[in-house]
Amino acid sequence: MNFPVDLLSALAIALLFAAAGELVLFRPSRSAPDLFESFAVGSGMAAALLFPLSLAAGKNALALTFVLLLMGVVASIALRFRFWRLSRSEAVARIDCRDPLSIIFLLLAAGATICFALLNWRMAYQWDGFQIWATLAQMLFVEGRVAPERFPEALYIGAKIRYPQLLPLYEALVAFPHGTFDFDRLKPLFLVFFSGMLVMTYTAVRRIGSSRLALAATALVGLLPALSTGTAIGGYADMPLAFFVVSLTAAVVSERSTASRTSAVPWLIGALCFVKDEGLILAAIAVAMTGLYWLMTRKSHKLLRRIADNWPAILISGSMILTRLAYLRWIDYQDNNYLRVSRETIPVAMARVPEVLSLGLQHLFEPRMWGLFWPAFFVGFIAVLRQGGHRERMLAISVFLAICVFHVIFLFTNWEVELHVQQALPRLLAQIAPAAAVVMAMAFTGAMKRLAK
Amino acid sequence: MSRGQRVIIISAALMIAAAVACGGFAFARELFVVFTYAHQRQVAPSLHEQVAEIRRIAPIGTRFVWLNQHPEQWFSRLWQRLLYPDPVFIVDHGPGSDSVIAGLKRRHSVRFAFSAGAPPIDPGYVWRIQLKPPPGAPGEFWFGELRSEADGPVDGETSTRSTP
């Protein structure tokens, strides 16, 4: 265990992913937001390719992934010198260092990052972080591919074999150059996700508002206990998923999102499926909202033309989502945590609605965990619905819909309802919290502009 | 600045203040707890030494069973990961656990066993050693070789080797 070396290993693999992302986005990374976006795209793509590579290359899949990523770095460097120009990248506005409030927010965000880094370094994995995510990484490292358990009776991983592979892939690749898998050398990679989450929160808000507002939102997200303490420092995948969700949010509000060739949106929608199971739900919401956005911004007889124009984006997201579904079908592991939706179980679920609603509201308005975060989001959500543009409304509805769907999940649980909500809901809300902060910033900016008139 | 703008700014300031208080308390509490009580390593150095010792007795390719006196989810699974890819079949002591172990021996040629408890249950050792418990683990831990079907019924006590 050597923190500087381990952190450098994590950063090196992150750069490999970023190079792959640059290649598929066909643009260089000229800033931290570009780099993190490339990292998100590259890691999502690598995770999506892992299952097909495992079928095609067997035990060499992990090694092949590593080699392909190295080749990606070489290609990216070559393209930088030969073809890519600075004008293709989006300029990022500097922080105003003369503004005292901006400095305060910046210091709060930096302080949160330092506290997270200390906690993440000092504490070993917690339950799921060790028994699920790092274990999947160990399996991938040893087997060299995604594969069923050799001895299912031993229940080494059991039903968790169905969990997505992005985080295990990253952990396995960090261990790969060292030649041995050591559980005590992997945690620094969570600092990459945390930093990326803050940078992309800043980026998303900066694209719609001032630098001061963006820093305030960044500090707000960094100070959320659900994202910076507890299971977030225990190796769980919720905070990394929050990074991908806010990266998607930043890509959606970016001026690049209308140019499908360099847009990261379809890649990030697909990448969501490979971080956590809930990512598939979030990807479905993103696809539905994209379709609704196309419907609302074009006359209906031109919708088909809009779909035809965006076939590359549809192909990318669709392929990644289908790959994830294909893996779930192939591994064929039944999830016993939930009741199957049927005529018999729907009345059971409906009877649970008051209880789940009550528990959900208790958690959403829990001040020690969230402060005034979610009450402020609901106020901002209404404001954006009333006064926002189509894109803003779609983002706000996406976050609200995610909150609703997360509650619906608990109606079909096989666990004791209160226990399951208590164990899982804060982590589910954490996944969409940075995106919710962006919605709040939209509401704030919009309201300030309207009231100034 | 209009009155409406002032209201919004004050509301935003209250929200930020609540976030600072909430986050500040959470960080302070977490830093205290983590730096006072938390384990920094997932696998203590002493465990690595024990694994090395066990590997001298049971090389890679060996299959193990782990017998818990009471159902336990952490230390047994920690050892599963330390010995991976060799399987460690975890069995909780109770009615029928003897036949479960017999079945595992038949199907998977399980030769060695761990048992944990206060005191641990004997799953049918030919010989056993006592392991130092991992940090935080209650009770005792034994490791040993299981009697095969050919060894027949027990005549005397299980032999105990010295602790590594």
Side-chain angles (χ1 to χ4, degrees), chain A residues 6-335:
Chain A
D6 299 339
L7 181 59
L8 277 173
S9 299
L11 288 171
I13 300 298
L15 286 173
L16 292 190
F17 285 138
E22 288 182 353
L23 285 177
V24 298
L25 294 174
F26 205 67
R27 59 119 180 90
S29 299
R30 299 288 187 181
S31 61
D34 278 354
L35 201 59
F36 278 112
E37 184 180 76
S38 300
F39 162 67
V41 167
S43 57
M45 182 185 63
L49 284 174
L50 187 61
F51 172 50
L53 274 179
S54 296
L55 295 177
K59 288 179 180 293
N60 300 312
L62 183 67
L64 191 54
T65 303
F66 187 73
V67 166
L68 287 172
L69 288 171
L70 283 176
M71 288 166 61
V73 170
V74 173
S76 176
I77 292 171
L79 282 168
R80 272 169 189 272
F81 284 114
R82 190 76 179 84
F83 293 114
W84 285 337
R85 300 172 195 160
L86 184 61
S87 59
R88 293 194 66 141
S89 74
E90 186 186 349
V92 175
R94 291 180 184 280
I95 293 168
D96 184 2
C97 296
R98 295 162 299 177
D99 176 31
L101 272 179
S102 293
I103 300 299
I104 290 170
F105 293 139
L106 182 62
L107 287 173
L108 283 171
T113 306
I114 291 168
C115 286
F116 176 86
L118 280 171
L119 290 168
N120 186 58
W121 163 75
R122 180 60 180 77
M123 176 150 185
Y125 285 106
Q126 292 180 23
W127 197 277
D128 284 12
F130 176 62
Q131 298 216 17
I132 297 175
W133 300 105
T135 296
L136 282 169
Q138 183 188 40
M139 232 178 126
L140 180 58
F141 179 87
V142 170
E143 303 294 335
R145 59 178 173 162
V146 286
E149 264 191 277
R150 290 189 203 185
F151 297 94
E153 244 182 299
L155 287 178
Y156 164 79
I157 191 68
K160 307 298 186 280
I161 192 83
R162 74 176 195 280
Y163 276 38
Q165 292 285 343
L166 192 144
L167 183 57
L169 174 62
Y170 192 2
E171 290 178 326
L173 285 174
V174 168
F176 191 77
H178 301 289
T180 56
F181 189 87
D182 187 344
F183 287 102
D184 290 314
R185 302 195 70 172
L186 307 176
K187 284 199 78 205
L189 63 87
F190 289 92
L191 185 56
V192 175
F193 285 118
F194 188 83
S195 309
M197 181 183 68
L198 296 189
V199 166
M200 297 315 284
T201 301
Y202 175 86
T203 305
V205 178
R206 189 68 185 89
R207 285 172 178 161
I208 55 164
S210 67
S211 169
R212 184 197 288 177
L213 179 66
L215 285 167
T218 306
L220 181 66
V221 167
L223 288 167
L224 283 173
L227 286 168
S228 53
T229 64
T231 56
I233 58 165
Y236 282 50
D238 302 282
M239 183 270 293
L241 182 53
F243 159 69
F244 281 87
V245 172
V246 77
S247 298
L248 174 59
T249 307
V252 167
V253 299
S254 164
E255 63 193 24
R256 275 199 218 122
S257 69
T258 54
S260 61
R261 189 184 182 207
T262 55
S263 172
V265 170
W267 295 98
L268 292 170
I269 290 176
L272 293 174
C273 305
F274 294 93
V275 187
K276 274 205 86 181
D277 270 344
E278 298 88 57
L280 203 49
I281 296 171
L282 297 174
I285 291 173
V287 167
M289 288 298 111
T290 303
L292 195 58
Y293 177 72
W294 287 349
L295 203 61
M296 291 169 68
T297 55
R298 284 291 182 270
K299 291 191 188 300
S300 58
H301 69 273
K302 288 187 182 173
L303 176 62
L304 287 174
R305 178 60 188 271
R306 188 76 182 264
I307 292 170
D309 286 345
N310 285 281
W311 71 265
I314 295 170
L315 185 66
I316 290 164
S317 298
S319 302
M320 292 174 83
I321 293 170
L322 285 174
T323 304
R324 173 67 185 148
L325 293 174
Y327 173 75
L328 288 172
R329 185 68 195 238
W330 178 77
I331 206 75
D332 193 28
Y333 225 112
Q334 302 305 316
D335 186 353

Side-chain angles (χ1 to χ4, degrees), chain A residues 365 372-388 396 400 403 436 439-444 447 450, chain B residues 7-8 11-12 15:
Chain A
F365 294 93
L372 294 171
F373 187 89
W374 291 111
F377 165 74
F378 288 119
V379 170
F381 169 66
I382 292 167
V384 169
L385 273 189
R386 290 181 65 184
Q387 306 285 349
F400 182 77
I403 295 172
V439 172
M440 283 191 258
M442 283 174 178
F444 180 88
R450 277 191 308 278
Chain B
V7 167
I8 288 174
S11 306
M15 197 189 65

